[in-house]
Amino acid sequence: MPLLRLTVDGSPREVDVDTRTSLLDALRERLEVTAPKKGCDHGQCGSCTVLLDGRRSLACLALAVAHDGAEVVTAAGLGTADEPHPVQQAFLDHDGYQCGYCTPGQVCSVVGMLEEAALGHPSHVTADLDPDAGVDLDDAEVRERMSGNLCRCGAYAGILDAVRQSVGAR
């Protein structure tokens, strides 16, 4: 089995993995990093979203061996209980977490989305594709960019309010 070296939430980690192991299973089952959740296991719900080398990624669709040497940040690595990340605080402020199962993926996705927008990456609904025009994270942009993260509790109104607060905090 290949030895995989990762930096997970700031800590260097090593793990032997089968070449068929997803990054999500390597994190949860081998490294006991449980912030990313296993939802649909088909990349449709977004509950496994992590930041992989700074970009949001569905860990259930990523083969672990393809990311040897990568930096993985989960929602647990973004902040602490005493000092939550501003996006985590916004979710708390606006009751965007409901049952909490999808929350780690939602939070990582928002953090990644804010970075993508700051870099000028367009989405499907971005009207002006000029990279110098910037991206206005209006409600349509946020909904499109977060459309890969599903919430079974229906906390979308709270999540959208949390994103609005996070956009304002940039």
Side-chain angles (χ1 to χ4, degrees), residues 1-7 15-24 26 52-53 57-72:
M1 289 199 291
L3 177 64
L4 179 65
R5 292 178 180 87
L6 298 169
T7 300
V15 61
D16 289 319
V17 294
D18 183 285
T19 56
R20 299 166 293 179
T21 303
S22 72
L23 180 59
L24 178 62
L52 181 59
D53 290 330
S57 179
L58 298 170
C60 73
L61 296 182
L63 286 175
V65 294
H67 299 286
D68 186 31
E71 179 179 1
V72 178

Side-chain angles (χ1 to χ4, degrees), residues 71-150:
E71 179 179 1
V72 178
V73 177
T74 72
L78 290 171
T80 65
D82 293 333
E83 291 186 45
H85 184 280
V87 172
Q88 292 169 319
Q89 185 61 54
F91 270 68
L92 290 168
D93 292 347
H94 297 281
D95 200 21
Y97 50 86
Q98 296 287 322
C99 82
Y101 193 82
C102 72
T103 306
Q106 299 267 6
V107 167
C108 283
S109 194
V110 171
V111 171
M113 175 192 68
L114 294 174
E115 180 66 20
E116 291 164 13
L119 294 172
H121 297 177
S123 78
H124 181 69
V125 299
T126 302
D128 189 348
L129 298 180
D130 178 358
D132 295 329
V135 175
D136 178 23
L137 286 174
D138 59 19
D139 288 355
E141 276 285 350
V142 170
R143 287 186 174 109
E144 170 61 21
R145 291 173 186 265
M146 294 297 293
S147 64
N149 290 81
L150 303 179

Side-chain angles (χ1 to χ4, degrees), residues 24-48:
L24 178 62
D25 288 341
L27 290 170
R28 289 187 58 82
E29 296 175 13
R30 305 297 312 276
L31 295 173
E32 299 180 355
V33 176
T34 58
K37 303 296 187 248
K38 183 177 275 195
C40 66
D41 212 20
H42 291 86
Q44 297 174 339
C45 74
S47 64
C48 64

